[in-house]
Amino acid sequence: MAKELKLMKGNEAIAEAAIRAGSDAYFGYPITPQSEVIEYLMAEKPHERTGMVVLQAESELAAINMVYGAAGTGKKVWTSSSSPGISLKQEGISYIAGSELPCVIVNVVRGGPGLGTIQPSQADYFQATKGGGHGDYHLLVLAPASVQEMADFIGDAFDLAFKYRGPVMILSDGVIGQMMEKVYLKEQVPRLSDDEIAEKYPWATIGKPASRERNIITSLDLDSSKMELHNIHLQSKYRQMEEEEVRFEKINCDDADYLFVAYGSSARICQKSIQLAAEKGIKVGLLRPITLFPFPKKQISEMADKVKGILSVEMSAGQMIEDVKLAVNGRVKVEHFGRYGGIIPTPAEVVDALIEKIIGE
Amino acid sequence: MKFEDIIKKENLIYKKTPLMTDNTLSYCPGCGHGTAHRITMEIVEEMGIVQDTIGIAPVGCSVLAYEFMNVDMTQAAHGRAPAVATGIKRCWPDKFVFTYQGDGDLAAIGTAETIHACNRGENITIIFINNGIYGMTGGQMAPTTIEGMRSSTSPYGRDAALMGHPLKMTELVAQLPGTCFVTRQAVHTPSAVRKAKKAIRKAFELQKEKKGTTFVEIVSNCNSGWKMTPVQANKWMVDNMFPFFPLGDIKVPE
Ligand SMILES: Cc1ncc(C[n+]2csc(CCOP(=O)(O)OP(=O)(O)O)c2C)c(N)n1
Ligand code: SF4
């Protein structure tokens, strides 16, 4: 299938793009606002199209552990869920990080805490970027801001997951998952054959031939001196990500007096706020982190030397602002504006917050 | 006599399978885990399927099974081995995939994964070591602790009114259409070991035929957790566990 243009929901786009990226398996459990992912996959019969496995698990716990098992065999495997389901997956994600397995986890975030609401939110930023489960680890976190990026990031996420042998999260939200936009879909990438997997991933647990020692996938080491070394190794991967994988977008930043920092659907809202502000004669730019971990600290730090104030716009009570403040290190005023619990801020509200909290009377 | 003379072909009546490593077993002397490991690995060797076999180690005393079983292995989170096995088997339907799990792992925290893997009829083999107690964490009550049995969290004996009834997981999974072979065995005597080994072989053979989930319970001892000598533990198991968990096949394919 050649590259083609379609009108799709974000959730459908990521499912279709995953099939085309040559993914081998998806394990999931329904939850709003992302159930279209597994519904689309089941309807598409990827087993017939590419041989991809799709299975509805009995819970998110089971789903993430199916991912763990399959990832340990060198397969391109992924799962998706929304906030409460992602909470349930955290033990498994920690195991995956600890035993260094590649996989992709999609979180189409809804409002919390608890069962919360099915409406969009960005309140899982801490959970996504600071580890989420137990132990010292990070996910590499990509934050799409459009249906196109939902489609584009799944392939990138697999590449990064295999490059670093670790879990990659696509942190989306109910807006991006549910809205329809036009999307260019890439051509089908063939799935790896079993022989190619055996050759490319010598660590995979696919049965021990006489030619090698047995492979073991584990996150356990009762010898703490070895466990510390393992942790140091994991940390070195995170430092390498900080060097090599930071992604961001700058809009209108060249002669801006003020700056919005926003990701995902908040960044889309801020694009409109920039226009509204310009109508009032206020020059404001947007720095959109695309990777939330690694976070574009340097780029925000550079902007801190150029602008008079920064507004961190998030659909949360203020989570990313902590990373923005660390990057700015007190040089300019940094404030947060957000609506939460499933409320989406309007562009005008954002401009009002900029005037009120940053520019002043 | 030199070692070479002792192991002359005509003198050799038993040999350790190369599918057990030389690592020192972490199990208490007298514990059934070691025997259950060995017969499982002997079957993999005898069937000549090591290059196609993937094992799942649980959380429990056998968490380190991968140190002893010389096959490719994945260590699963507590209770999740059947899900991990599902993920592998779905991606590699022609491989042999087995889980090795204790009763806390399989019948408490992992009950949902066990039932659903069996109900989907995943073509995996589940080896279930039922020692009626949580060995690894120091002898707490398990879902299979029988009534009246003492443990560190039922110090006056299991009181069903207070703590619930012991769970016969094997009878339960036998009801599910996805299972094709469900059996309960033991490894406390040479003849029991032979029977258990045959059952494991049958389970792996049925797995090859993709007939559904095969489930082999092994009623075992935990002399440390039960605070008995190995001999006392085996006797106690025969006298007290076997009446509640009777040995034999529960479901066999037509
Ligand atoms: C999520 C989680 N909860 C609790 C534990 C602690 N834990 C480790 S082993 C175990 C019980 C294992 O008992 P069983 O499955 O009967 O195996 P045995 O040790 O008796 O062979 C528990 C509760 C854990 N590791 N992970
Ligand atoms: S604690 Fe019990 S189950 Fe664990 S090794 Fe010792 S005897 Fe075996």
Side-chain angles (χ1 to χ4, degrees):
Chain A
M1 242 176 276
K3 185 168 163 167
E4 56 185 296
L5 182 63
K6 283 198 173 188
L7 182 68
M8 293 182 113
K9 279 191 176 193
N11 289 335
E12 296 165 346
I14 201 165
E16 175 60 33
I19 300 173
R20 294 182 185 222
S23 77
D24 294 301
Y26 170 94
F27 302 99
Y29 187 82
I31 182 171
T32 309
Q34 64 79 55
S35 297
E36 293 86 359
V37 176
I38 188 165
E39 287 170 353
Y40 183 93
L41 288 172
M42 286 292 187
E44 273 303 305
K45 295 190 190 166
H47 198 77
E48 288 174 15
R49 272 176 62 182
T50 67
M52 176 185 168
V53 170
V54 184
L55 185 66
Q56 180 171 332
E58 62 269 34
S59 68
E60 289 87 352
L61 267 176
I64 194 69
N65 284 286
M66 291 172 185
V67 167
Y68 172 70
T73 65
K75 294 280 181 178
K76 255 189 189 178
V77 52
W78 65 294
T79 183
S80 65
S81 189
S82 179
S83 312
I86 296 288
S87 292
L88 211 46
K89 284 183 161 124
Q90 291 301 335
E91 184 201 33
I93 295 173
S94 172
Y95 271 66
I96 291 169
S99 40
E100 301 194 76
L101 299 180
C103 74
V104 179
I105 301 140
V106 181
N107 184 359
V108 183
V109 181
R110 60 191 246 179
L115 195 52
T117 169
I118 58 172
Q119 307 299 334
S121 165
Q122 294 182 316
D124 294 356
Y125 178 92
F126 282 151
Q127 187 197 51
T129 60
K130 308 298 174 191
H134 59 285
D136 266 330
Y137 73 91
H138 284 285
L139 310 172
L140 199 156
V141 184
L142 293 167
S146 63
V147 173
Q148 185 64 55
E149 285 187 342
M150 285 289 266
D152 291 345
F153 286 3
I154 186 84
D156 296 353
F158 276 124
D159 292 344
L160 290 163
F162 277 89
K163 175 174 176 186
Y164 288 96
R165 263 185 72 181
V168 173
M169 177 169 276
I170 295 182
L171 190 73
S172 181
D173 62 61
V175 178
I176 309 288
Q178 290 295 326
M179 74 179 175
M180 291 185 93
E181 288 185 305
K182 64 179 187 205
V183 52
Y184 285 98
L185 294 164
K186 292 185 182 144
E187 285 177 34
Q188 179 68 50
V189 174
R191 292 175 49 241
L192 291 185
S193 71
D194 291 355
D195 287 344
E196 284 170 326
I197 286 176
E199 201 186 307
K200 258 186 116 163
Y201 309 123
W203 45 264
T205 48
I206 54 177
K208 174 194 161 337
S211 55
R212 66 157 166 82
E213 295 294 302
R214 71 189 185 289
N215 282 338
I216 297 167
I217 305 285
T218 184
S219 54
L220 173 74
D221 205 320
L222 294 172
D223 178 344
S224 345
S225 59
K226 285 195 194 146
M227 192 37 96
E228 187 180 42
L229 288 176
H230 175 59
N231 268 274
I232 289 169
H233 163 67
L234 291 180
Q235 291 302 317
S236 74
K237 295 207 286 192
Y238 307 138
R239 299 296 86 76
Q240 189 191 341
M241 289 175 193
E242 285 172 336
E243 287 298 313
E244 296 177 18
E245 309 304 342
V246 172
R247 286 165 71 170
F248 61 92
E249 183 187 20
K250 273 175 161 179
I251 295 175
N252 228 37
C253 281
D254 288 346
D255 62 345
D257 291 326
Y258 302 96
L259 183 71
F260 294 133
V261 180
Y263 68 94
S265 37
S266 291
R268 295 288 290 272
I269 294 162
C270 284
Q271 288 185 37
K272 183 71 187 170
S273 305
I274 289 171
Q275 290 172 10
L276 297 183
E279 286 164 17
K280 293 182 196 269
I282 303 165
K283 286 195 272 183
V284 51
L286 167 68
L287 193 145
R288 172 169 79 98
I290 296 175
T291 51
L292 300 181
F293 184 89
F295 193 68
K297 298 179 208 173
K298 232 178 37 217
Q299 292 72 18
I300 290 174
S301 172
E302 282 163 16
M303 286 305 296
D305 291 331
K306 295 184 187 159
V307 296
K308 296 181 207 155
I310 297 177
L311 190 68
S312 181
V313 183
E314 314 164 50
M315 296 189 312
S316 74
Q319 300 190 10
M320 181 182 66
I321 187 175
E322 294 192 1
D323 289 331
V324 177
K325 279 187 168 172
L326 281 172
V328 171
N329 202 13
R331 280 171 292 160
V332 289
K333 192 172 186 188
V334 178
E335 292 288 343
H336 162 262
F337 174 70
R339 297 295 303 271
Y340 33 101
I343 301 286
I344 305 164
T346 64
E349 268 181 296
V350 174
V351 177
D352 290 348
L354 177 74
I355 293 168
E356 190 193 318
K357 295 185 168 196
I358 300 288
I359 302 175
E361 292 313 312
Chain B
M1 208 193 261
K2 281 197 297 215
F3 182 65
E4 284 71 27
D5 296 324
I6 302 171
I7 59 160
K8 262 196 205 137
K9 225 177 178 171
E10 59 270 28
N11 291 336
L12 188 72
I13 49 165
Y14 177 77
K15 189 165 157 256
K16 180 177 80 80
T17 167
L19 295 191
M20 285 295 287
T21 65
D22 289 331
N23 294 335
T24 308
L25 283 179
S26 51
Y27 303 112
C28 307
C31 173
H33 270 306
T35 312
H37 278 30
R38 173 173 63 77
I39 57 177
T40 307
M41 287 300 98
E42 284 175 354
I43 292 304
V44 174
E45 188 200 358
E46 287 165 23
M47 289 177 69
I49 54 170
V50 59
Q51 71 286 352
D52 290 319
T53 298
I54 302 133
I56 321 293
V59 168
C61 276
S62 47
V63 63
L64 290 174
Y66 59 76
E67 291 287 346
F68 316 125
M69 297 184 177
N70 197 6
V71 298
D72 276 5
M73 290 200 79
T74 296
Q75 194 285 315
H78 198 16
R80 315 298 165 217
V84 175
T86 299
I88 298 174
K89 186 76 182 195
R90 290 281 174 142
C91 289
W92 301 83
D94 296 328
K95 302 272 175 188
F96 292 85
V97 181
F98 73 91
T99 71
Y100 183 102
Q101 303 175 255
D103 43 66
D105 195 78
L106 180 141
I109 194 166
T111 310
E113 283 78 5
T114 305
I115 288 180
H116 285 281
C118 289
N119 197 48
R120 287 190 303 265
E122 299 295 341
N123 289 305
I124 58 172
T125 296
I126 296 176
I127 297 172
F128 166 35
I129 308 298
N130 173 10
N131 58 14
I133 206 158
Y134 286 9
M136 173 166 228
T137 38
Q140 295 84 8
M141 184 178 69
T144 48
T145 300
I146 59 176
E147 275 187 65
M149 182 175 170
R150 286 168 204 261
S151 73
S152 68
T153 52
S154 57
Y156 309 107
R158 183 182 195 135
D159 175 354
L162 199 64
M163 301 158 181
H165 298 272
L167 184 57
K168 295 187 178 184
M169 199 64 176
T170 305
E171 278 80 353
L172 208 152
V173 301
Q175 305 304 311
L176 304 173
T179 51
C180 76
F181 175 51
V182 180
T183 185
R184 183 182 284 121
Q185 303 290 332
V187 290
H188 62 306
T189 62
S191 79
V193 171
R194 275 195 294 276
K195 280 192 201 150
K197 192 173 156 181
K198 258 172 103 172
I200 293 171
R201 182 172 188 119
K202 185 164 176 174
F204 273 85
E205 279 167 354
L206 286 163
Q207 185 180 156
K208 188 172 187 176
E209 292 173 40
K210 302 198 171 106
K211 288 260 171 80
T213 311
T214 51
F215 191 100
V216 182
E217 173 178 339
I218 295 177
V219 183
S220 190
N221 61 1
C222 174
N223 36 287
S224 292
W226 297 356
K227 314 236 176 303
M228 296 176 193
T229 65
V231 174
Q232 282 170 341
N234 276 346
K235 183 167 174 0
W236 191 89
M237 176 176 74
V238 173
D239 294 345
N240 299 279
M241 299 255 299
F242 288 3
F244 190 77
F245 296 114
L247 304 191
D249 291 346
I250 298 168
K251 184 179 191 178
V252 287
E254 282 102 61

